[in-house]
Amino acid sequence: MKYKAFIVEDEARNRDLLKDLATEFCPDIQVAGMAATVPEAIRLINEQRPDIVFMDIEMQPGTGFDVLQQVKHRNFQVIFTTAYDHYAIKAIKFSAIDYILKPIDLEELQQAVDKAIQSIRRQQENRIDLLMKNLSQPGGENFSISLSTSDGIEYVLLSQIIRLEANGPYTTFFLKNQNKIMVSKNLKEYELLLSDHGFFRVHNSHMIHLKEVRKMIKTDGGYAVMSDASMIAISPKKKDDFLQLMAQRLV
């Protein structure tokens, strides 16, 4: 069975190139249609109900997000295509939605398609709603992150995260409700994602939510006592930056 794919791209050359690459090198999908404008994309996606949509972010006029806001049915996997590595990429990453930078790399395309098909086969919950929510309230208390676990996907409010702990290629999230969630991504990925949202990596193995720090202990090299009573060692290299960030919280 081939999965029905749809391409939303306002430049004809890019549309044709993506169609040719997907047709030749992604044998599990069939490109069932293409659109060049926001209204056309909304109409055709509603009519054809594809399994996978390749979505250009910057269109003239409008954006791919305008399409997602207005389609009636969002039960498809999205793979964003963009020439801009800064445009809402953080919100896309938080929602665990794939994107490909232009010019399109064949290996990245194949990997993104494979991941989308795996999500369809596992009948994983669609992540578009989470993306649109995060885009509408960046940095707010209701900003959420999508965490893929061995059992499925969990959506977690950033305000509910106390700390993260590295264990080789895995990262464990410690939450206020005393739950723990382990994901198969390393801590570095989450450091890049969460540093602008009140989190700080104090140690090679630990990243903490600064709002959840209850006190600082200076003995034995320095520890941060968290709201769950855990004591997190602070690397000597990170101590000055940590103290500066904590001082800013008190201003």
Side-chain angles (χ1 to χ4, degrees):
M1 183 186 78
K2 288 191 179 239
Y3 295 92
K4 187 189 296 186
F6 194 87
I7 296 172
V8 180
E9 165 66 62
D10 64 348
E11 295 186 16
R13 181 184 300 177
N14 289 338
R15 280 197 309 276
D16 293 338
L17 175 61
L18 180 52
K19 180 182 179 182
D20 290 344
L21 289 174
T23 300
E24 183 171 357
F25 297 104
C26 302
D28 291 325
I29 65 173
Q30 177 181 4
V31 178
M34 299 190 292
T37 66
V38 170
E40 183 183 27
I42 295 168
R43 177 176 62 81
L44 292 176
I45 289 173
N46 284 335
E47 290 177 0
Q48 297 190 17
R49 299 198 180 188
D51 302 300
I52 298 171
V53 174
F54 295 97
M55 184 74 72
D56 187 18
I57 292 182
E58 285 256 328
M59 303 174 68
Q60 298 297 330
T63 70
F65 302 124
D66 296 326
V67 176
L68 295 180
Q69 284 177 334
Q70 297 178 58
V71 291
K72 293 180 181 178
H73 304 284
R74 293 176 176 173
N75 56 337
F76 51 83
Q77 299 295 317
V78 177
I79 300 172
F80 283 105
T81 60
T82 178
Y84 305 91
D85 61 3
H86 63 280
Y87 195 112
I89 291 300
K90 185 162 285 189
I92 292 171
K93 287 183 176 180
F94 268 103
S95 308
I97 291 177
D98 248 326
Y99 69 96
I100 307 171
L101 291 178
K102 300 175 186 176
I104 290 175
D105 178 84
L106 177 57
E107 185 175 352
E108 289 184 1
L109 171 64
Q110 291 174 315
Q111 289 175 351
V113 169
D114 287 344
K115 286 172 65 176
I117 290 173
Q118 289 171 18
S119 294
I120 294 170
R121 287 174 177 169
R122 290 197 298 263
Q123 296 183 331
Q124 288 187 341
E125 185 176 348
N126 194 278
R127 304 164 191 177
I128 299 173
D129 290 340
L130 176 63
L131 170 65
M132 304 313 293
K133 173 185 169 186
N134 282 345
L135 284 170
S136 68
Q137 49 189 17
E141 280 298 304
N142 292 323
F143 205 89
S144 299
I145 187 170
S146 173
L147 302 177
S148 296
T149 71
S150 57
D151 297 322
I153 298 174
E154 296 199 38
Y155 301 107
V156 178
L157 291 169
L158 298 192
S159 59
Q160 296 303 305
I161 301 171
I162 297 174
R163 60 189 181 91
L164 295 77
E165 183 174 329
N167 181 14
Y170 298 92
T171 299
T172 300
F173 286 72
F174 292 80
L175 309 181
K176 288 184 179 179
N177 61 7
Q178 300 185 346
N179 285 347
K180 294 187 291 186
I181 300 174
M182 178 178 283
V183 295
S184 57
K185 289 186 178 180
N186 62 46
L187 188 57
K188 181 65 176 179
E189 292 194 45
Y190 292 108
E191 180 183 8
L192 296 172
L193 202 56
L194 295 171
S195 291
D196 293 336
H197 294 268
F199 290 79
F200 182 67
R201 189 169 183 176
V202 295
H203 187 278
N204 280 343
S205 299
H206 299 283
M207 188 170 189
I208 62 175
H209 195 166
L210 295 173
K211 287 185 177 181
E212 298 302 318
V213 176
R214 293 299 174 257
K215 63 179 177 179
M216 167 76 176
I217 296 177
K218 296 182 179 180
T219 58
D220 298 326
Y223 291 84
V225 180
M226 307 302 295
S227 60
D228 62 354
S230 58
M231 297 177 63
I232 307 302
I234 300 171
S235 166
K237 295 180 180 179
K238 298 295 185 77
K239 184 179 292 186
D240 289 343
D241 290 337
F242 171 70
L243 292 174
Q244 184 177 354
L245 289 169
M246 293 303 296
Q248 291 173 2
R249 279 189 56 203
L250 301 175
V251 175

